[in-house]
Amino acid sequence: MVFMNNIRSYTGMWREHAKLINNLKETIHLFYMPEVHSYLVPMLVDFVYKGNKDIKEAACNCLAKILKY
């Protein structure tokens, strides 16, 4: 979580953001769900509103996987 908070503060690093979100999508089932809902979902929604096309797509895919679980 600390790493995600740090990488989120660097807005110019969109490739790292997209890679991190895609890796998160693969391991989202390992997280305790209230933790996911309280921290990650608002961050991913923020990426959907403020990110470029690649980040928006990765964030939407990750949010869809969260909804699935």
Side-chain angles (χ1 to χ4, degrees), residues 46-57:
D46 190 43
F47 282 147
V48 170
Y49 285 126
K50 297 179 182 176
N52 64 7
K53 180 183 153 257
D54 294 325
I55 292 176
K56 287 180 180 183
E57 183 177 319

Side-chain angles (χ1 to χ4, degrees), residues 27-39:
T27 60
I28 199 70
H29 63 281
L30 300 174
F31 289 94
Y32 184 59
M33 291 315 273
E35 179 183 61
V36 171
H37 287 262
S38 67
Y39 184 75

